[in-house]
Amino acid sequence: MIAICNNEGACGIAATGASLARGDLALDAIEAGIRLVEASEEVRTVGRGGWPNLLGEVELDASVMDGTTLRTGSVGSLTGYLHPVSIARQVLERLPHELLVGEGARRFAAEIGAEAGELLMPHARSAWQRWLETEVSAAEQARWPDVPMAELCQQAIDPETGRDTTVFLAQDVEGHIGAGTSTSGWGWKYPGRLGDSPIIGAGSYADSRYGACACTGVGEMSIRAGTSRAVVLYMKMGMSVEEAVHEAVEDMRALKGGLIGRVTIHAIDRQGGHKVVAVNGLPENHYWLWRAGDAAPSSHPCEIIAISDVPAPKPTAHRRYEQMGL
């Protein structure tokens, strides 16, 4: 048995490990861990407390994948509900579909009695309001929100560096492998933007015959490269988990133009091996690991591989306000 998660999953990985130790299914253990991350107001890129979009709304994305059945469930651009990972799980369990977004996702959440709640916490509300007042012209404020937003969303190239999204991978005692993701996406994103988290094959993929992979960071890169599916496919072709992740890194080197930044690739194989690589990463990039018999999860540094020069983050308003504790 094994479970790994990115650095943002610190408050949930122990619950996932304990669930696996009790003999629970991989997806049950993953959901239990991610729900704790979603509920934490200290985690500012997942669930309650996440940064809002340009309109000041917190939009959540999440996914789960059962590596034994290859069934998936995802939700995107979900507002007003506290645990998108559980709603994604119910998409898998109850619907013939794989992905719901926007109003459809909200309708389904209400239908199944999912827990509703306020997502925009005071720190995020204050930062967004200050951004609006200082970065948007008086003329545009007067017409808000009926203004062009394409240029405003360029500030989204300054994500919470190395600390965005949460991803969990696990293998249970029966050998079933699962993957789960949850995120509020980038702060100040264009409304309706989906990153890789709800996109199966990009942000996550699991196949109990070979292994699983999930990504954090610049989701646009993982979408373009199909990173998570690629890693599992490379393992199917006979590569080790380490070789598969490194081959996926090479795929990312082919990306030209568009948004290029930081991506962390997390992967496990069916033998209980794992590999985590931070593409264009920072020294503080790390992940959490739990194995059967461990008293507690442990933190480990990611391997850092540079594939391009990443511009220094812009001192955008929301980062300044976060640094001020707002």
Side-chain angles (χ1 to χ4, degrees):
M1 293 184 292
I2 185 175
I4 66 172
C5 73
N6 69 315
N7 48 305
E8 288 283 57
C11 66
I13 187 65
T16 293
S19 180
L20 292 172
R22 290 194 300 269
D24 294 343
L25 292 173
L27 277 191
D28 291 337
I30 287 168
E31 183 180 354
I34 291 179
R35 282 178 62 92
L36 293 176
V37 184
E38 291 173 337
S40 173
E41 294 181 28
E42 301 303 314
V43 180
R44 301 205 168 172
T45 56
V46 178
R48 184 178 177 89
W51 295 113
N53 63 18
L54 287 172
L55 294 174
E57 299 172 336
V58 178
E59 293 179 308
L60 304 180
D61 308 326
S63 70
V64 295
M65 183 166 185
D66 183 332
T68 299
T69 65
L70 303 186
R71 277 302 313 273
T72 71
S74 298
V75 292
S77 295
L78 177 69
T79 60
Y81 287 87
L82 300 180
H83 292 292
V85 70
S86 293
I87 300 168
R89 178 75 181 276
Q90 291 306 306
V91 171
L92 183 157
E93 298 286 353
R94 301 192 189 200
L95 296 180
H97 311 311
E98 309 295 322
L99 170 64
L100 295 178
V101 299
E103 185 55 40
R106 288 190 291 276
R107 180 186 181 94
F108 179 70
E111 184 176 323
I112 65 173
E115 185 179 358
E118 177 59 59
L119 299 173
L120 188 64
M121 294 294 96
H123 74 271
R125 187 187 302 276
S126 296
W128 179 83
Q129 188 64 44
R130 291 187 182 225
W131 166 82
L132 183 69
E133 294 170 355
T134 60
E135 307 293 329
V136 178
S137 70
E140 289 182 322
Q141 288 184 46
R143 303 197 313 274
W144 193 265
D146 298 321
V147 301
M149 293 188 175
E151 289 302 316
L152 292 174
C153 83
Q154 295 301 317
Q155 296 188 52
I157 66 173
D158 181 24
E160 304 308 308
T161 305
R163 299 187 292 109
D164 57 319
T165 307
T166 196
V167 296
F168 279 60
L169 304 174
Q171 181 185 47
D172 62 33
V173 69
E174 299 294 332
H176 303 299
I177 292 176
T181 74
S182 186
T183 187
S184 57
W186 287 0
W188 284 238
K189 62 188 175 184
Y190 200 99
R193 176 261 187 186
L194 293 181
D196 63 332
S197 296
I199 309 300
I200 300 299
S204 67
Y205 198 83
D207 188 326
S208 297
R209 298 172 296 175
Y210 310 109
C213 179
C215 301
T216 65
V218 179
E220 283 75 3
M221 292 173 63
S222 304
I223 292 170
R224 293 167 65 191
T227 301
S228 290
R229 172 61 172 137
V231 169
V232 176
L233 181 58
Y234 291 142
M235 287 192 281
K236 179 180 180 180
M237 294 168 61
M239 293 185 186
S240 68
V241 63
E242 182 172 0
E243 291 169 335
V245 170
H246 284 158
E247 191 67 22
V249 172
E250 292 305 308
D251 291 342
M252 285 192 168
R253 292 187 193 275
L255 301 177
K256 308 298 181 186
L259 181 56
I260 304 297
R262 298 179 177 89
V263 173
T264 304
I265 304 172
H266 310 73
I268 63 173
D269 63 26
R270 67 185 181 92
Q271 290 82 26
H274 75 283
K275 184 65 178 178
V276 181
V277 167
V279 177
N280 297 329
L282 299 172
E284 60 265 31
N285 286 140
H286 66 278
Y287 65 96
W288 292 88
L289 169 69
W290 177 91
R291 294 182 186 275
D294 286 352
S298 54
S299 174
H300 301 267
C302 303
E303 178 184 358
I304 299 174
I305 298 178
I307 64 169
S308 64
D309 293 329
V310 179
K314 293 181 180 180
T316 54
H318 71 283
R319 179 172 296 281
R320 294 198 301 271
Y321 301 143
E322 185 199 24
Q323 292 170 342
M324 292 165 58
L326 298 176

